[in-house]
Amino acid sequence: MSEVFDAYERELWDGRADAYERGFARVTRHTIGPLLDAAGVVAGARVLDVGTGPGFVAAEAAERGARVAAVDAEPGMARVAARNAPGAAVRVAVLPELPFPDGAFDAVVGNFVINHVGDPVRALRELRRVLAPSGTLALTCWAMPGTGVLAMVRDALDAAGVPWPDDVPDPPFLQHGTPPAFRALLEQVGFSADVTELDWDHVVDPREWWTDGALARVGANGVVVGRLDDAALARVKTEYDRLAARHATADGNIALPAHALLARATPLSARVAAEGPVTSDA
């Protein structure tokens, strides 16, 4: 099942790097600072940015003086990342297999990546492998189920009566998108972890969000919209405009609430990781 989802993801993002950079990547940039702070990224640190996308995380890590490697499964994303983050060594690599030796990095970061893998446990084990024993892992993910900015187009599809296609799968990470569940997942693979919530408003022109989001075939919602005939698309646009009006600002933009999780995790010792988490009746 995980292989099926991973194959779907490869097809989903093929050729979408430029569209993602123009649109949804503007939302995910909000968490870059907190992500790098959580990982303790400073000058001289060896940092891996996994699932780098357009390279914005890698670029900021390099600006901090870190020695940055970055990977993405999509060659087009890696190409855009290399352009945006010239101070990073960018290459194509697909979780859960990374082309780095054990303990190669002081910090491993991933901005909204863990929710795009078919087997989160295997992916996290690989991230733990390449992380130094004294290193720090920092990951963001969307709070699940998605609401606000993540659900705007999906809500319009639902309101317009468009059924969700059987061949567009839900992400396996869906069950882990709450603070307790995300923390438990990290602990399962040998981390001590803290998970905090991040909330902000993404302010954008509603016409731009429709063009660079719904019509750009970015993400699962964009795939579904891209399959619609003209009549169905018009119904969805009507519902989109109705929903957008609820978030209107005085200057004609919309402020869409965004809800994410930020995990900071450090490896347990090899012995503790093998025995499982320590519990106490005290």
Side-chain angles (χ1 to χ4, degrees):
M1 187 65 179
S2 63
E3 292 82 3
V4 172
F5 183 80
D6 285 336
Y8 161 79
E9 282 282 316
R10 299 291 77 72
E11 181 179 355
L12 174 68
W13 293 104
D14 182 27
R16 309 318 301 162
D18 292 335
Y20 180 77
E21 181 185 17
R22 290 193 306 270
F24 214 87
R26 297 183 184 180
V27 184
T28 59
R29 292 188 81 157
H30 182 90
T31 58
I32 294 175
L35 178 76
L36 295 179
D37 289 344
V41 174
V42 295
R46 300 169 300 162
V47 177
L48 172 63
D49 176 24
V50 63
T52 190
F56 297 145
V57 173
E60 185 162 328
E63 288 176 2
R64 294 187 180 200
R67 293 176 286 163
V68 183
V71 299
D72 201 278
E74 159 56 25
M77 289 286 192
R79 184 169 56 253
V80 171
R83 181 192 71 213
N84 289 330
V90 182
R91 61 200 297 184
V92 176
V94 183
L95 280 171
E97 297 180 3
L98 296 175
F100 305 107
D102 295 356
F105 299 99
D106 304 307
V108 174
V109 297
N111 202 28
F112 300 99
V113 172
I114 191 65
N115 42 282
H116 287 287
V117 300
D119 190 336
V121 170
R122 285 187 65 200
L124 287 171
R125 285 175 178 159
E126 181 69 349
L127 298 182
R128 187 178 186 276
R129 181 188 68 79
V130 301
L131 185 65
S134 60
T136 303
L137 170 70
L139 299 172
T140 53
C141 71
W142 294 111
M144 299 289 179
T147 58
V149 70
L150 197 64
M152 181 73 170
V153 176
R154 177 69 178 266
D155 289 346
L157 287 164
D158 290 343
V162 176
W164 195 253
D166 292 336
D167 63 332
V168 177
D170 287 327
F173 189 80
L174 186 63
Q175 61 184 309
H176 304 296
T178 65
F182 196 8
R183 182 170 57 251
L185 176 66
L186 288 157
E187 291 173 349
Q188 178 183 342
V189 297
F191 286 102
S192 174
D194 294 312
V195 178
T196 57
E197 298 181 60
L198 300 175
D199 300 295
W200 70 99
D201 285 337
H202 179 61
V203 179
V204 65
D205 186 311
R207 295 163 298 184
E208 179 182 315
W209 195 241
W210 175 254
T211 300
D212 291 340
L215 298 184
R217 227 190 104 240
V218 170
N221 293 331
V223 168
V224 177
V225 169
R227 296 177 178 179
L228 299 179
D229 60 28
D230 290 344
L233 183 62
R235 294 200 311 273
V236 174
K237 181 57 163 60
T238 297
E239 295 299 336
Y240 171 89
D241 290 339
R242 180 181 62 82
L243 293 169
R246 299 178 179 177
H247 302 284
T249 62
D251 59 2
N253 290 321
I254 53 176
L256 300 176
H259 308 290
L261 306 179
L262 170 62
R264 179 186 183 277
T266 54
L268 295 169
S269 69
R271 179 181 63 81
V272 171
E275 293 174 355
V278 176
T279 60
S280 173
D281 295 329

